[in-house]
Amino acid sequence: MGLGYIGLPTAAMLAARGHAVLGCDTDPRVVKAVASGQAHFREPDLDSLLAAALATGRLVAQGAPRPAEVFLIAVPTPLGPGNRADLSAVWAATDAIAPLLKPGDLVILESTCPVGTTEALAARIAAARPDLALPMRGVPAPPGCVHLAHCPERVLPGAMLRELVANDRIIGGLTPGCAESARALYAGFVTGQCHVTDSRTAELAKLAENAFRDVNIAFANELADIAIGVQVDPWAAIALANRHPRVAILAPGPGVGGHCIAVDPWFLAESAPEGAPLIRAARAVNDARPGHVAAAIRALARPGAAVACLGLTYKPDVGDLRASPALAVAEELSRDGTLRLICCDPLLAALPPPLAGRPGVVLAGLESALAQADVVAILVAHRAFRALGAPALQGRTVLDAVGMLVAAV
Ligand SMILES: NC(=O)c1ccc[n+]([C@@H]2O[C@H](COP(=O)([O-])OP(=O)(O)OC[C@H]3O[C@@H](n4cnc5c(N)ncnc54)[C@H](O)[C@@H]3O)[C@@H](O)[C@H]2O)c1
């Protein structure tokens, strides 16, 4: 259920390993693209895996599910109002599969979700299907019950196919029997270890991973702001601090993007409505960062200046724009029309909203962008930019928000 960044590689992988897979997506454009062998997003080697899976006839894409032995839910779980998880897609997928379930079927929730969601999913199925036996946390599984597990994903976009197989997996069953059922499925293609636990621990562990990243990035970003304020090069100071054997400060940047690290900490905070001050503060620090970077660029540019924004996506060598801080920086710079923005991103074919159509904003190739720019802002260290090297930018006014030139030295 869901053929996005997580669901499609997983479906293709399972089909390549011999399973008959029905890939379901409510977006007809996604179904059409997948059925024609075209992934609707860029991911190295995915097109060839998809082509191989389709050629076997074991992968079929369509809009609605059919009866199966295993149902794997990988639908979006974005932030809703009040920074609470919007689980509407999870419930829609649950409602679509509930009428199809038989005793012994396995339902796996891969979507990242707040603690307790797998139990809520079981309760929802139980309400829709009083004829079925459902597992309950801490209670021995009744005979013939449907199995339920939370098996979160931790793949790295850009290396998904490798990590889908090589990463360790957390397998959180509602009961030990549920976990064993899910473990058997993943053991068929995962070479990393499958760590079996209960569903709540699995949900919390996944959220902890991304909150850990967010909090540590926030520390690096806050440190960068402090360093710049006292005329110290943050990169130099962090490099020196990291010579301590027990210190490993992360790299500062223009903020935190994508729809995981910037979102999942809120799901953790949701579990502690009156608490989690550190997690909430980290979110605020990282959310404020694009504004700080934009202000630093403005300080270097006179009115009417041409600013080359190198990179718009949310991370290097990935075409994903979701919650991109680089895009937020460019948007902020374009807002009042006092600057000319020459955006350059080798992973984009056109200017994305909200930049598309804005007066004074264009998308250009790297050479053209550098030729026209009064100020060069490095916002994402894409491979094409890394290949430039520091000498190509010598003598230019550069704001390096990601430390790309430091890394190149
Ligand atoms: N992308 C990542 O790197 C990543 C990593 C770890 C975890 N996750 C988590 O995995 C989940 C899926 O993320 P994604 O990046 O694959 O999302 P995505 O937006 O790329 O894909 C989700 C797909 O689900 C489809 N969909 C929505 N509602 C549906 C429904 N009711 N039935 C069937 N299909 C439906 C959408 O049309 C879309 O194609 C999220 O919870 C996310 O937080 C993502």
Side-chain angles (χ1 to χ4, degrees):
M1 303 298 292
L3 293 175
Y5 286 84
I6 296 300
L8 181 56
T10 307
M13 182 68 72
L14 286 167
R17 299 295 166 107
H19 294 279
V21 180
L22 178 67
C24 293
D25 202 290
T26 44
D27 185 338
R29 290 165 305 177
V30 170
V31 173
K32 196 169 163 211
V34 172
S36 70
Q38 283 282 304
H40 52 103
F41 54 90
R42 286 193 202 200
E43 180 61 33
D45 303 324
L46 180 56
D47 278 341
S48 50
L49 180 68
L50 181 57
L54 289 168
T56 63
R58 288 195 292 266
L59 175 62
V60 175
Q62 68 176 53
R66 286 201 302 255
E69 284 72 49
V70 179
F71 295 86
L72 200 149
I73 300 176
V75 297
T77 47
L79 269 188
N83 287 326
R84 295 179 67 82
D86 172 359
L87 297 176
S88 53
V90 172
W91 302 142
T94 307
D95 294 347
I97 64 174
L100 308 174
L101 290 171
K102 324 176 284 303
D105 284 353
L106 167 65
V107 180
I108 297 176
L109 178 60
E110 280 212 2
S111 299
T112 307
C113 53
V115 177
T117 305
T118 313
E119 287 158 69
L121 199 154
R124 196 169 176 106
I125 295 174
R129 292 289 307 275
D131 56 310
L132 280 178
L134 267 304
M136 273 171 70
R137 184 168 175 260
V139 176
C145 82
V146 171
H147 292 121
L148 263 106
H150 177 56
C151 303
E153 256 306 345
R154 45 162 72 130
V155 286
L156 178 73
M160 280 191 168
L161 297 192
R162 180 171 49 78
E163 293 209 348
L164 199 56
V165 172
N167 285 355
D168 282 12
R169 296 293 301 230
I170 302 173
I171 313 283
L174 222 49
T175 64
C178 295
E180 180 43 37
S181 236
R183 194 204 57 77
L185 179 78
Y186 288 97
F189 67 96
V190 170
T191 59
Q193 284 187 41
C194 290
H195 302 274
V196 169
T197 182
D198 61 87
S199 60
R200 276 191 180 220
T201 306
E203 289 159 346
L204 187 74
K206 166 66 196 176
L207 300 178
E209 291 169 13
N210 284 346
F212 172 87
R213 300 280 300 158
D214 200 44
V215 167
N216 282 281
I217 294 168
F219 177 68
N221 284 338
E222 188 164 287
L223 208 53
D225 282 341
I226 294 170
I228 291 164
V230 293
Q231 290 92 48
V232 167
D233 175 354
W235 305 96
I238 289 173
L240 286 174
N242 281 347
R243 304 300 295 175
H244 185 294
R246 286 168 297 283
V247 172
I249 301 169
L250 298 183
V256 169
H259 75 327
C260 288
I261 297 182
V263 169
D264 301 350
W266 286 118
F267 295 3
L268 205 49
E270 194 173 322
S271 302
E274 307 300 325
L278 179 65
I279 291 168
R280 292 172 200 274
R283 282 282 69 243
V285 168
N286 287 334
D287 280 350
R289 190 73 182 146
H292 295 188
V293 171
I297 295 167
R298 277 188 188 279
L300 294 174
R302 58 178 166 72
V307 177
C309 289
L310 303 193
L312 292 176
T313 64
Y314 92 84
K315 64 189 275 185
D317 303 322
V318 162
D320 195 342
L321 282 158
R322 289 179 291 184
S324 168
L327 183 60
V329 172
E331 188 197 355
E332 158 56 26
L333 292 174
S334 72
R335 202 161 277 150
D336 63 1
T338 57
L339 297 170
R340 285 196 301 127
L341 278 201
I342 307 149
C343 300
C344 173
D345 195 309
L347 291 147
L348 300 178
L351 271 181
L355 297 178
R358 272 215 181 149
V361 187
V362 294
L363 187 70
L366 182 55
E367 241 177 72
S368 160
L370 291 179
Q372 297 175 63
D374 301 303
V375 176
V376 178
I378 305 172
L379 303 178
V380 188
H382 285 316
R383 191 171 294 118
F385 307 151
R386 296 199 299 273
L388 265 180
L393 294 167
Q394 223 149 31
R396 310 290 304 258
T397 304
V398 178
L399 190 295
D400 179 6
V402 291
M404 184 183 87
L405 300 177
V406 181
V409 173

